[in-house]
Amino acid sequence: MKNSLSLVVSLVVLGAFSSVGADELSDALKNGKVSGDVALTYESRNVDRQVGTYYADTAYSVGSIGLNYETAKFYNFSANVGFRAYQPVWQDDSHFVTAHGKGDASERFYEDGSNKHMELANAYLAYATKDIVVKAGRQELSTEWLTKYHDAVTAMVTPFNNAQIEMIYSQKRYRVDPREFFSATDINGNDGIYKLGFSYQLSNEIKAKVYTLVAPENYEIYGGKVNYDTKINDVGLGLLTHYMESREDFMEDGKMLELVGYASYAGYKATLGYVKTGKESGWGSAANYGDTVVPFEEGDHMYVADARTTYVMLSKTIADVSLTGLYGVTKYAINDGQFSKNEFDVWASYNFTKQLSGTLGFAVTNEDKKDGSVPDLTQINATLIYKF
């Protein structure tokens, strides 16, 4: 199926266009919506010792422009296309050679083998009714083990009340946002990965989901989760239980248990989380193409073998500034050695106007001195976005 995605998109285009008249199609294009943004991001990293090029003292600022066009619907079909173009504004060391290019920014903004700094973001065709939404092409995903932008075919189907079926085939993965640009990661050697999920709302408070992902001739993933959300007077309470196993063809099988509980009151939200991985292979291959489990800015050791992470998070909006603080400890094993690290993160966001918003992030990691693979790190990032 190496060329199947482009074939599917072409067939959908031909089917959609042939089903409508020229005037109707012209009206759908004329009534489309154009949107975009101008963004400027800054990041600095300070480490107590350099390890490779990813863990190094770096500082840079990158500007980007994003444009997106979405047609109006015609016969339940629509099309969406957008791109983002990047330009480094400043780099503390423009000659620093990383694994992906030259300059401090090149570890986060790159396309291997090219100086290209523009990439398609959304580029898909959609068919949507009350009970089914199908998209074919490059699109953003945020689901278990598949995140960021993917060249994919997705279908979300509501077969009956309170139920949803999720079907995904993805061939490539991208990161195209104001803070990162990673282009064209082949999925499973370009053979792709398939996902099937089923969700059911058992009651007003309880929702359950089971899912499986298959990377042919490589690995399979099986998982399930249960969400419980309720409110007692003015107090909100919630609990998430999530378990996953990977069946590997070329390594030991992976496992993960995620437990998250929260309470909210008067604008405050406190979250307590615990994540445990398998003793032999951690998460296995599960996180190859994204995850929705790691809450940290870094969190590099949450997925290694025999890792146990406990974290607490507190969120509150004060004077229109959204604040979140996160602290966690990860205990893990590498080559029969037992280690422990902790991380502290703070994020703040503020909307200056309806169009202009800003975010600020601060992260500090305190690594185990017995583990020489990762240094202590202090990171500051800030992003301004003007939307139009």
Side-chain angles (χ1 to χ4, degrees), residues 47-51 55-56 367-369 371-376:
V47 297
D48 64 344
R49 55 189 174 79
Q50 182 173 334
V51 179
Y55 295 109
E367 306 291 340
D368 196 315
K369 301 306 179 185
D371 179 7
S373 63
V374 180
D376 292 349

Side-chain angles (χ1 to χ4, degrees), residues 22 152 159 248 299:
E248 308 281 345

Side-chain angles (χ1 to χ4, degrees), residues 33-98:
K33 181 181 178 181
V34 177
S35 60
D37 67 77
V38 178
L40 180 67
T41 190
Y42 165 85
E43 181 176 294
S44 68
R45 279 187 163 194
N46 294 101
V47 297
D48 64 344
R49 55 189 174 79
Q50 182 173 334
V51 179
T53 57
Y54 183 77
Y55 295 109
D57 289 342
T58 56
Y60 60 83
S61 180
V62 173
S64 63
I65 298 176
L67 287 175
N68 194 81
Y69 170 74
E70 183 177 7
T71 69
K73 287 187 177 180
F74 52 99
Y75 292 84
N76 296 321
F77 285 93
S78 63
N80 192 307
V81 61
F83 71 89
R84 183 168 290 276
Y86 299 88
Q87 178 61 48
V89 176
W90 169 80
Q91 298 181 87
D92 184 53
D93 186 352
S94 60
H95 301 289
F96 179 57
V97 178
T98 74

Side-chain angles (χ1 to χ4, degrees), residues 117-183:
H117 282 88
M118 186 171 72
E119 183 61 72
L120 280 172
N122 291 317
Y124 63 84
L125 291 159
Y127 176 82
T129 67
K130 178 183 177 183
D131 297 324
I132 182 171
V133 177
V134 178
K135 295 180 180 180
R138 190 167 304 175
Q139 57 193 280
E140 189 172 14
L141 300 182
S142 182
T143 183
E144 298 87 4
W145 316 116
L146 298 173
T147 63
K148 305 298 183 181
Y149 287 89
H150 289 248
D151 284 348
V153 178
T154 65
M156 303 297 174
V157 181
T158 303
F160 48 87
N161 288 341
N162 300 322
Q164 185 179 67
I165 297 173
E166 174 188 50
M167 294 177 284
I168 298 173
Y169 166 72
S170 177
Q171 196 175 64
K172 292 180 182 291
R173 182 176 185 247
Y174 305 76
R175 298 190 184 190
V176 190
D177 61 53
R179 286 195 60 198
E180 291 181 307
F181 166 49
F182 301 176
S183 185

Side-chain angles (χ1 to χ4, degrees), residues 219-295:
Y219 61 88
E220 300 173 358
I221 296 171
Y222 302 93
K225 60 199 303 184
V226 177
N227 292 82
Y228 175 78
D229 289 282
T230 191
K231 195 168 186 179
I232 302 175
N233 296 324
D234 294 329
V235 179
L237 298 171
L239 179 66
L240 164 68
T241 303
H242 181 195
Y243 181 76
M244 177 278 299
E245 288 189 2
S246 72
R247 308 289 174 82
E248 308 281 345
D249 290 351
F250 302 105
M251 59 189 293
E252 296 292 334
D253 295 345
K255 294 181 180 180
M256 187 213 66
L257 172 66
E258 178 188 16
L259 301 173
V260 180
Y262 77 85
S264 60
Y265 176 75
Y268 289 91
K269 183 177 181 180
T271 302
L272 179 65
Y274 176 78
V275 180
K276 178 177 173 57
T277 71
K279 291 187 176 181
E280 300 296 330
S281 189
W283 290 0
S285 300
N288 287 354
Y289 310 113
D291 82 274
T292 55
V293 176
V294 177

Side-chain angles (χ1 to χ4, degrees), residues 307-371:
R308 291 141 290 153
T309 301
T310 303
Y311 65 86
V312 60
M313 182 163 51
L314 182 64
S315 301
K316 170 66 174 175
T317 298
I318 301 174
D320 296 327
V321 178
S322 298
L323 295 170
T324 298
L326 171 64
Y327 176 78
V329 177
T330 299
K331 298 180 179 180
Y332 60 99
I334 296 180
N335 298 327
D336 297 325
Q338 298 293 322
F339 307 100
S340 177
K341 64 159 287 183
N342 60 71
E343 180 170 343
F344 174 67
D345 298 328
V346 177
W347 297 279
S349 62
Y350 180 73
N351 293 325
F352 299 96
T353 67
K354 289 183 178 180
Q355 290 78 33
L356 181 63
S357 63
T359 60
L360 179 67
F362 176 73
V364 178
T365 67
N366 182 18
E367 306 291 340
D368 196 315
K369 301 306 179 185
K370 296 180 294 182
D371 179 7

